[in-house]
Amino acid sequence: MSPVEHTSLGSTALPADLDEAAHRCLVAGFDGATTVPDALKELIDRGLGGVILFTRNIRDAAQVRRLTDELRALRPDLLVAIDNEGGGIGHLGAAGAPEVPGSYALGVVDDPNLTARCADALAAHLATLGITVSYAPVADLQHRPDNPIVRTRSFGADPEAVARHLRAWITATEARGVASCAKHFPGHGGTATDSHHGTAVDPRPYEALQADLEPFREAVAAGVPMLMSAHVVFPALDPGRPATLSRRILGDLLRHDLGFDGVLVGDALEMKAIADEYGQAAGARIALAAGADQVIIAVGDLNVTLDCRDAVLDAVRTGVLAPERVGEAARRVRRLAERYATPPTTTTVPAPAAGGAGLGLRAARRAVRSRGVPPAARGAHVVDLFPPPHPGLNWGGEDLLNEVRAVDPTATGTAVTGECADPDALVEGIVRRCGAAPLVVATCDAGLHPWQVRLRDALLDRRPDAVLVDTGLPDGGVLHSYGRGRVNLRALAEVLAGA
């Protein structure tokens, strides 16, 4: 279907400035890495506020810079954004992204200067690529054991500690001329559902939610230019709608109580908490009416973006969405673009601070914690149990076994990324291959994945001397890496191998 077929009949009746303002409120994902699709060119020409890049758009660093230059040649004030949290949450591995541990590991170390240096390395890399918006850091608290979405993406559970690290991250990113974005307001840590997959509800009373707001207050005080909302229902704040679609939460709480006047961007509309309950097009319209300044349509199919665009234009034309609200949102986006849209040239980006080489691994080493000191397990058989990362992320197949073998070539092992058809046979095979060698069993958030618990316990029944390791949050192991980024796993491997 062509862009022309998607243009609503009413959109032609809008004044040019209002049409442009409505387009400013959209951030679009797209397929392709070497060419800009025609439908995206049409959106950019009409005033599109931003694009978001994913792994599907990345080949190497030179290609990314050519792509961002081409996008900005079409419209110099176009914002180019990406998720760039560190710790394996990112899309720029093929473009040489710095390897840094995730936020939880940095929170365990609790050295804001180290957090700032890691954030600086990531932001400097973005600047060289022509990417001007980083949808990071995560401001959510991780305080619920069964929360499936925040976990090691958070700096921790303590509001004051998280606030310290947010300030360090935001300040370092801003110093690189890259816009940071604290997420997911007013907090995703109190849910037992991932809003990517369904309706997420935080059932806590109003008083209990105040701690989760403190990191966002600190982010606002630190001058963060963007916040991202959560697709979470908070009955104590607004029982009817998730935060992204709630005037009470975005208006009364965020704008009035917290005093935030930057750009509020709604999380991706294709997430099922919005798409299944409201539909993406209606979600775009309702979010903007509620007080969001931009909405993200992250899917590569631009037909979906055009449907959302048409819903917004038709809502403005019919008065369902007030022109004043769209104008206010567009002004905030323009103000953001004036400050951040033009990146430095590749030759004018200052290098990261001295000692930047190997920074991420040194940081990850500082984060490893143990309950006692397990003996070095050279020549071990390593069983790494973990759920496969989201297919949209830049996972290169790294696992603990690979990292152990890099420091101890005599190691053997097995990586298991999901429930198998015959777990008894798998356990028998592992025990047989291991023989008399030390056995290491690593799990990643086993409490969320019963198949890991069953395999771990079955292996312990056969080998009570096995060394238990946690690569997610602590879960009974003697060693904890607090994340599965490559440097987290390498730091853990060094301890296991006595390197």
Side-chain angles (χ1 to χ4, degrees), residues 74-118:
L74 294 168
R75 191 175 188 94
D77 58 357
L78 181 72
L79 294 163
V80 181
I82 199 163
D83 286 314
N84 198 50
E85 299 173 20
I89 307 295
H91 304 276
L92 293 168
E99 298 275 1
V100 301
S103 295
Y104 204 97
L106 292 172
V108 167
V109 177
D110 200 13
D111 178 353
N113 180 61
L114 179 64
T115 295
R117 292 169 65 197
C118 289

mmCIF file of all heavy atoms in Angstrom, residues 74-118:
data_model
loop_
_atom_site.group_PDB
_atom_site.id
_atom_site.type_symbol
_atom_site.label_atom_id
_atom_site.label_comp_id
_atom_site.label_asym_id
_atom_site.label_seq_id
_atom_site.Cartn_x
_atom_site.Cartn_y
_atom_site.Cartn_z
ATOM 1 N N LEU A 74 17.659 14.778 4.632
ATOM 2 C CA LEU A 74 16.259 14.956 4.268
ATOM 3 C C LEU A 74 15.588 15.993 5.163
ATOM 4 O O LEU A 74 14.701 16.720 4.709
ATOM 5 C CB LEU A 74 15.519 13.618 4.376
ATOM 6 C CG LEU A 74 15.954 12.533 3.383
ATOM 7 C CD1 LEU A 74 15.381 11.184 3.781
ATOM 8 C CD2 LEU A 74 15.529 12.899 1.971
ATOM 9 N N ARG A 75 16.002 16.042 6.425
ATOM 10 C CA ARG A 75 15.446 17.035 7.356
ATOM 11 C C ARG A 75 16.471 17.236 8.473
ATOM 12 O O ARG A 75 16.646 16.357 9.326
ATOM 13 C CB ARG A 75 14.114 16.562 7.919
ATOM 14 C CG ARG A 75 13.373 17.669 8.673
ATOM 15 C CD ARG A 75 11.989 17.231 9.122
ATOM 16 N NE ARG A 75 11.257 18.372 9.656
ATOM 17 C CZ ARG A 75 10.432 19.134 8.949
ATOM 18 N NH1 ARG A 75 10.210 18.847 7.673
ATOM 19 N NH2 ARG A 75 9.822 20.155 9.496
ATOM 20 N N PRO A 76 17.158 18.360 8.501
ATOM 21 C CA PRO A 76 18.255 18.544 9.460
ATOM 22 C C PRO A 76 17.841 18.438 10.916
ATOM 23 O O PRO A 76 18.667 18.089 11.761
ATOM 24 C CB PRO A 76 18.767 19.961 9.129
ATOM 25 C CG PRO A 76 18.376 20.180 7.707
ATOM 26 C CD PRO A 76 17.065 19.483 7.543
ATOM 27 N N ASP A 77 16.586 18.734 11.227
ATOM 28 C CA ASP A 77 16.171 18.693 12.628
ATOM 29 C C ASP A 77 15.505 17.372 13.004
ATOM 30 O O ASP A 77 14.801 17.288 14.019
ATOM 31 C CB ASP A 77 15.246 19.865 12.950
ATOM 32 C CG ASP A 77 13.998 19.890 12.072
ATOM 33 O OD1 ASP A 77 13.873 19.043 11.172
ATOM 34 O OD2 ASP A 77 13.145 20.782 12.290
ATOM 35 N N LEU A 78 15.732 16.339 12.225
ATOM 36 C CA LEU A 78 15.204 15.013 12.556
ATOM 37 C C LEU A 78 16.004 14.421 13.709
ATOM 38 O O LEU A 78 17.239 14.374 13.664
ATOM 39 C CB LEU A 78 15.301 14.101 11.333
ATOM 40 C CG LEU A 78 14.774 12.669 11.508
ATOM 41 C CD1 LEU A 78 13.251 12.659 11.581
ATOM 42 C CD2 LEU A 78 15.245 11.785 10.353
ATOM 43 N N LEU A 79 15.324 13.953 14.738
ATOM 44 C CA LEU A 79 15.983 13.267 15.846
ATOM 45 C C LEU A 79 16.185 11.798 15.485
ATOM 46 O O LEU A 79 15.269 11.152 14.972
ATOM 47 C CB LEU A 79 15.140 13.388 17.118
ATOM 48 C CG LEU A 79 14.995 14.809 17.675
ATOM 49 C CD1 LEU A 79 13.838 14.878 18.664
ATOM 50 C CD2 LEU A 79 16.288 15.264 18.330
ATOM 51 N N VAL A 80 17.380 11.287 15.744
ATOM 52 C CA VAL A 80 17.698 9.885 15.464
ATOM 53 C C VAL A 80 17.980 9.209 16.800
ATOM 54 O O VAL A 80 18.916 9.585 17.515
ATOM 55 C CB VAL A 80 18.903 9.758 14.524
ATOM 56 C CG1 VAL A 80 19.200 8.285 14.242
ATOM 57 C CG2 VAL A 80 18.646 10.507 13.221
ATOM 58 N N ALA A 81 17.173 8.207 17.142
ATOM 59 C CA ALA A 81 17.187 7.629 18.487
ATOM 60 C C ALA A 81 17.494 6.140 18.446
ATOM 61 O O ALA A 81 17.369 5.474 17.402
ATOM 62 C CB ALA A 81 15.828 7.855 19.159
ATOM 63 N N ILE A 82 17.860 5.615 19.617
ATOM 64 C CA ILE A 82 18.115 4.182 19.757
ATOM 65 C C ILE A 82 18.038 3.826 21.240
ATOM 66 O O ILE A 82 18.253 4.671 22.107
ATOM 67 C CB ILE A 82 19.505 3.810 19.169
ATOM 68 C CG1 ILE A 82 19.596 2.313 18.864
ATOM 69 C CG2 ILE A 82 20.633 4.268 20.104
ATOM 70 C CD1 ILE A 82 20.743 1.954 17.939
ATOM 71 N N ASP A 83 17.696 2.571 21.542
ATOM 72 C CA ASP A 83 17.817 2.049 22.907
ATOM 73 C C ASP A 83 19.277 1.686 23.134
ATOM 74 O O ASP A 83 19.848 0.901 22.367
ATOM 75 C CB ASP A 83 16.949 0.804 23.091
ATOM 76 C CG ASP A 83 15.470 1.125 23.189
ATOM 77 O OD1 ASP A 83 15.118 2.065 23.929
ATOM 78 O OD2 ASP A 83 14.669 0.450 22.528
ATOM 79 N N ASN A 84 19.874 2.212 24.201
ATOM 80 C CA ASN A 84 21.316 2.038 24.388
ATOM 81 C C ASN A 84 21.644 2.008 25.872
ATOM 82 O O ASN A 84 22.288 2.893 26.403
ATOM 83 C CB ASN A 84 22.064 3.193 23.688
ATOM 84 C CG ASN A 84 23.520 2.891 23.459
ATOM 85 O OD1 ASN A 84 23.868 1.849 22.938
ATOM 86 N ND2 ASN A 84 24.391 3.819 23.829
ATOM 87 N N GLU A 85 21.204 0.935 26.554
ATOM 88 C CA GLU A 85 21.316 0.861 28.000
ATOM 89 C C GLU A 85 22.627 0.264 28.483
ATOM 90 O O GLU A 85 22.990 0.427 29.654
ATOM 91 C CB GLU A 85 20.155 0.032 28.567
ATOM 92 C CG GLU A 85 18.786 0.596 28.276
ATOM 93 C CD GLU A 85 17.670 -0.334 28.715
ATOM 94 O OE1 GLU A 85 17.929 -1.220 29.569
ATOM 95 O OE2 GLU A 85 16.544 -0.192 28.211
ATOM 96 N N GLY A 86 23.342 -0.467 27.634
ATOM 97 C CA GLY A 86 24.487 -1.233 28.096
ATOM 98 C C GLY A 86 24.051 -2.570 28.657
ATOM 99 O O GLY A 86 22.861 -2.871 28.762
ATOM 100 N N GLY A 87 25.036 -3.409 29.003
ATOM 101 C CA GLY A 87 24.720 -4.707 29.583
ATOM 102 C C GLY A 87 24.002 -5.641 28.636
ATOM 103 O O GLY A 87 23.234 -6.498 29.053
ATOM 104 N N GLY A 88 24.248 -5.494 27.344
ATOM 105 C CA GLY A 88 23.597 -6.346 26.358
ATOM 106 C C GLY A 88 22.273 -5.826 25.867
ATOM 107 O O GLY A 88 21.669 -6.426 24.981
ATOM 108 N N ILE A 89 21.781 -4.708 26.429
ATOM 109 C CA ILE A 89 20.538 -4.107 25.963
ATOM 110 C C ILE A 89 20.913 -3.005 24.981
ATOM 111 O O ILE A 89 21.219 -1.875 25.365
ATOM 112 C CB ILE A 89 19.697 -3.532 27.116
ATOM 113 C CG1 ILE A 89 19.467 -4.585 28.189
ATOM 114 C CG2 ILE A 89 18.371 -2.996 26.586
ATOM 115 C CD1 ILE A 89 18.649 -5.766 27.741
ATOM 116 N N GLY A 90 20.928 -3.347 23.719
ATOM 117 C CA GLY A 90 21.330 -2.393 22.698
ATOM 118 C C GLY A 90 21.320 -3.043 21.332
ATOM 119 O O GLY A 90 21.012 -4.230 21.188
ATOM 120 N N HIS A 91 21.689 -2.277 20.331
ATOM 121 C CA HIS A 91 21.578 -2.734 18.943
ATOM 122 C C HIS A 91 22.822 -2.444 18.119
ATOM 123 O O HIS A 91 22.812 -2.635 16.916
ATOM 124 C CB HIS A 91 20.378 -2.046 18.278
ATOM 125 C CG HIS A 91 19.081 -2.261 18.998
ATOM 126 N ND1 HIS A 91 18.303 -3.380 18.819
ATOM 127 C CD2 HIS A 91 18.449 -1.515 19.935
ATOM 128 C CE1 HIS A 91 17.237 -3.306 19.602
ATOM 129 N NE2 HIS A 91 17.302 -2.177 20.282
ATOM 130 N N LEU A 92 23.893 -2.010 18.760
ATOM 131 C CA LEU A 92 25.032 -1.495 18.008
ATOM 132 C C LEU A 92 26.268 -2.369 18.102
ATOM 133 O O LEU A 92 27.384 -1.898 17.868
ATOM 134 C CB LEU A 92 25.358 -0.071 18.487
ATOM 135 C CG LEU A 92 24.295 0.972 18.157
ATOM 136 C CD1 LEU A 92 24.551 2.264 18.922
ATOM 137 C CD2 LEU A 92 24.253 1.235 16.658
ATOM 138 N N GLY A 93 26.089 -3.650 18.426
ATOM 139 C CA GLY A 93 27.240 -4.538 18.508
ATOM 140 C C GLY A 93 28.023 -4.589 17.210
ATOM 141 O O GLY A 93 29.261 -4.523 17.200
ATOM 142 N N ALA A 94 27.323 -4.681 16.082
ATOM 143 C CA ALA A 94 28.002 -4.750 14.791
ATOM 144 C C ALA A 94 28.675 -3.441 14.426
ATOM 145 O O ALA A 94 29.538 -3.394 13.546
ATOM 146 C CB ALA A 94 27.002 -5.135 13.691
ATOM 147 N N ALA A 95 28.294 -2.364 15.106
ATOM 148 C CA ALA A 95 28.884 -1.051 14.845
ATOM 149 C C ALA A 95 29.958 -0.695 15.861
ATOM 150 O O ALA A 95 30.356 0.459 15.975
ATOM 151 C CB ALA A 95 27.801 0.023 14.850
ATOM 152 N N GLY A 96 30.425 -1.698 16.624
ATOM 153 C CA GLY A 96 31.534 -1.470 17.539
ATOM 154 C C GLY A 96 31.165 -0.815 18.848
ATOM 155 O O GLY A 96 31.982 -0.107 19.441
ATOM 156 N N ALA A 97 29.957 -1.046 19.335
ATOM 157 C CA ALA A 97 29.531 -0.418 20.588
ATOM 158 C C ALA A 97 30.439 -0.824 21.735
ATOM 159 O O ALA A 97 30.854 -1.982 21.837
ATOM 160 C CB ALA A 97 28.098 -0.811 20.908
ATOM 161 N N PRO A 98 30.761 0.097 22.632
ATOM 162 C CA PRO A 98 31.550 -0.263 23.815
ATOM 163 C C PRO A 98 30.814 -1.292 24.660
ATOM 164 O O PRO A 98 29.596 -1.225 24.818
ATOM 165 C CB PRO A 98 31.688 1.071 24.569
ATOM 166 C CG PRO A 98 31.389 2.134 23.566
ATOM 167 C CD PRO A 98 30.413 1.531 22.601
ATOM 168 N N GLU A 99 31.553 -2.242 25.191
ATOM 169 C CA GLU A 99 30.966 -3.244 26.079
ATOM 170 C C GLU A 99 31.032 -2.711 27.502
ATOM 171 O O GLU A 99 32.116 -2.517 28.057
ATOM 172 C CB GLU A 99 31.756 -4.553 25.978
ATOM 173 C CG GLU A 99 31.747 -5.196 24.608
ATOM 174 C CD GLU A 99 30.525 -6.060 24.383
ATOM 175 O OE1 GLU A 99 29.676 -6.136 25.298
ATOM 176 O OE2 GLU A 99 30.429 -6.673 23.309
ATOM 177 N N VAL A 100 29.882 -2.444 28.092
ATOM 178 C CA VAL A 100 29.829 -2.015 29.485
ATOM 179 C C VAL A 100 28.812 -2.887 30.209
ATOM 180 O O VAL A 100 27.875 -3.401 29.601
ATOM 181 C CB VAL A 100 29.457 -0.521 29.618
ATOM 182 C CG1 VAL A 100 30.466 0.363 28.894
ATOM 183 C CG2 VAL A 100 28.050 -0.252 29.111
ATOM 184 N N PRO A 101 28.989 -3.064 31.531
ATOM 185 C CA PRO A 101 28.003 -3.854 32.273
ATOM 186 C C PRO A 101 26.682 -3.110 32.348
ATOM 187 O O PRO A 101 26.612 -1.904 32.133
ATOM 188 C CB PRO A 101 28.640 -4.006 33.656
ATOM 189 C CG PRO A 101 29.557 -2.843 33.776
ATOM 190 C CD PRO A 101 30.066 -2.567 32.389
ATOM 191 N N GLY A 102 25.620 -3.833 32.645
ATOM 192 C CA GLY A 102 24.316 -3.202 32.763
ATOM 193 C C GLY A 102 24.185 -2.396 34.038
ATOM 194 O O GLY A 102 25.073 -2.362 34.902
ATOM 195 N N SER A 103 23.041 -1.752 34.173
ATOM 196 C CA SER A 103 22.838 -0.804 35.260
ATOM 197 C C SER A 103 22.912 -1.464 36.638
ATOM 198 O O SER A 103 23.455 -0.877 37.580
ATOM 199 C CB SER A 103 21.492 -0.101 35.083
ATOM 200 O OG SER A 103 21.489 0.682 33.912
ATOM 201 N N TYR A 104 22.357 -2.660 36.790
ATOM 202 C CA TYR A 104 22.343 -3.264 38.122
ATOM 203 C C TYR A 104 23.760 -3.511 38.614
ATOM 204 O O TYR A 104 24.081 -3.275 39.789
ATOM 205 C CB TYR A 104 21.541 -4.567 38.127
ATOM 206 C CG TYR A 104 21.004 -4.932 39.488
ATOM 207 C CD1 TYR A 104 19.706 -4.607 39.847
ATOM 208 C CD2 TYR A 104 21.803 -5.579 40.425
ATOM 209 C CE1 TYR A 104 19.208 -4.930 41.100
ATOM 210 C CE2 TYR A 104 21.317 -5.896 41.679
ATOM 211 C CZ TYR A 104 20.024 -5.575 42.023
ATOM 212 O OH TYR A 104 19.537 -5.883 43.264
ATOM 213 N N ALA A 105 24.623 -4.001 37.724
ATOM 214 C CA ALA A 105 26.014 -4.227 38.111
ATOM 215 C C ALA A 105 26.676 -2.919 38.527
ATOM 216 O O ALA A 105 27.440 -2.872 39.497
ATOM 217 C CB ALA A 105 26.774 -4.875 36.957
ATOM 218 N N LEU A 106 26.389 -1.846 37.809
ATOM 219 C CA LEU A 106 26.945 -0.546 38.188
ATOM 220 C C LEU A 106 26.383 -0.095 39.535
ATOM 221 O O LEU A 106 27.094 0.516 40.339
ATOM 222 C CB LEU A 106 26.638 0.490 37.109
ATOM 223 C CG LEU A 106 27.352 0.270 35.773
ATOM 224 C CD1 LEU A 106 26.824 1.241 34.724
ATOM 225 C CD2 LEU A 106 28.865 0.419 35.927
ATOM 226 N N GLY A 107 25.129 -0.394 39.789
ATOM 227 C CA GLY A 107 24.553 -0.059 41.085
ATOM 228 C C GLY A 107 25.189 -0.850 42.214
ATOM 229 O O GLY A 107 25.359 -0.335 43.325
ATOM 230 N N VAL A 108 25.558 -2.100 41.962
ATOM 231 C CA VAL A 108 26.237 -2.918 42.973
ATOM 232 C C VAL A 108 27.594 -2.309 43.317
ATOM 233 O O VAL A 108 27.976 -2.222 44.488
ATOM 234 C CB VAL A 108 26.384 -4.365 42.469
ATOM 235 C CG1 VAL A 108 27.359 -5.149 43.347
ATOM 236 C CG2 VAL A 108 25.027 -5.062 42.448
ATOM 237 N N VAL A 109 28.337 -1.878 42.308
ATOM 238 C CA VAL A 109 29.625 -1.224 42.560
ATOM 239 C C VAL A 109 29.405 0.082 43.312
ATOM 240 O O VAL A 109 30.166 0.460 44.202
ATOM 241 C CB VAL A 109 30.368 -0.974 41.234
ATOM 242 C CG1 VAL A 109 31.680 -0.231 41.489
ATOM 243 C CG2 VAL A 109 30.642 -2.298 40.515
ATOM 244 N N ASP A 110 28.348 0.800 42.942
ATOM 245 C CA ASP A 110 27.934 2.056 43.572
ATOM 246 C C ASP A 110 29.038 3.105 43.546
ATOM 247 O O ASP A 110 29.336 3.747 44.552
ATOM 248 C CB ASP A 110 27.456 1.829 45.001
ATOM 249 C CG ASP A 110 26.587 2.990 45.507
ATOM 250 O OD1 ASP A 110 26.160 3.826 44.671
ATOM 251 O OD2 ASP A 110 26.367 3.072 46.733
ATOM 252 N N ASP A 111 29.596 3.293 42.371
ATOM 253 C CA ASP A 111 30.584 4.348 42.135
ATOM 254 C C ASP A 111 30.033 5.223 41.016
ATOM 255 O O ASP A 111 30.177 4.898 39.841
ATOM 256 C CB ASP A 111 31.927 3.730 41.736
ATOM 257 C CG ASP A 111 32.995 4.772 41.430
ATOM 258 O OD1 ASP A 111 32.677 5.978 41.395
ATOM 259 O OD2 ASP A 111 34.156 4.373 41.210
ATOM 260 N N PRO A 112 29.360 6.341 41.345
ATOM 261 C CA PRO A 112 28.760 7.166 40.299
ATOM 262 C C PRO A 112 29.760 7.641 39.258
ATOM 263 O O PRO A 112 29.388 7.837 38.094
ATOM 264 C CB PRO A 112 28.154 8.340 41.081
ATOM 265 C CG PRO A 112 27.848 7.771 42.433
ATOM 266 C CD PRO A 112 28.988 6.822 42.698
ATOM 267 N N ASN A 113 31.033 7.820 39.649
ATOM 268 C CA ASN A 113 32.039 8.208 38.665
ATOM 269 C C ASN A 113 32.218 7.114 37.625
ATOM 270 O O ASN A 113 32.363 7.389 36.422
ATOM 271 C CB ASN A 113 33.358 8.510 39.351
ATOM 272 C CG ASN A 113 34.437 8.913 38.358
ATOM 273 O OD1 ASN A 113 34.305 9.905 37.646
ATOM 274 N ND2 ASN A 113 35.501 8.125 38.293
ATOM 275 N N LEU A 114 32.190 5.855 38.059
ATOM 276 C CA LEU A 114 32.295 4.742 37.118
ATOM 277 C C LEU A 114 31.073 4.703 36.208
ATOM 278 O O LEU A 114 31.193 4.485 34.989
ATOM 279 C CB LEU A 114 32.424 3.428 37.877
ATOM 280 C CG LEU A 114 32.514 2.155 37.023
ATOM 281 C CD1 LEU A 114 33.773 2.160 36.173
ATOM 282 C CD2 LEU A 114 32.476 0.909 37.919
ATOM 283 N N THR A 115 29.892 4.907 36.780
ATOM 284 C CA THR A 115 28.677 4.956 35.964
ATOM 285 C C THR A 115 28.779 6.053 34.915
ATOM 286 O O THR A 115 28.422 5.860 33.747
ATOM 287 C CB THR A 115 27.451 5.185 36.862
ATOM 288 O OG1 THR A 115 27.290 4.058 37.723
ATOM 289 C CG2 THR A 115 26.189 5.378 36.045
ATOM 290 N N ALA A 116 29.277 7.225 35.316
ATOM 291 C CA ALA A 116 29.427 8.333 34.380
ATOM 292 C C ALA A 116 30.391 7.968 33.249
ATOM 293 O O ALA A 116 30.151 8.305 32.083
ATOM 294 C CB ALA A 116 29.905 9.583 35.117
ATOM 295 N N ARG A 117 31.468 7.288 33.576
ATOM 296 C CA ARG A 117 32.445 6.917 32.550
ATOM 297 C C ARG A 117 31.862 5.906 31.566
ATOM 298 O O ARG A 117 32.127 5.976 30.361
ATOM 299 C CB ARG A 117 33.716 6.381 33.201
ATOM 300 C CG ARG A 117 34.493 7.448 33.968
ATOM 301 C CD ARG A 117 35.585 6.837 34.808
ATOM 302 N NE ARG A 117 36.608 6.210 33.953
ATOM 303 C CZ ARG A 117 37.500 5.322 34.401
ATOM 304 N NH1 ARG A 117 37.473 4.939 35.670
ATOM 305 N NH2 ARG A 117 38.394 4.821 33.594
ATOM 306 N N CYS A 118 31.074 4.971 32.069
ATOM 307 C CA CYS A 118 30.423 4.010 31.165
ATOM 308 C C CYS A 118 29.406 4.720 30.277
ATOM 309 O O CYS A 118 29.324 4.458 29.070
ATOM 310 C CB CYS A 118 29.755 2.901 31.979
ATOM 311 S SG CYS A 118 30.916 1.757 32.778
#
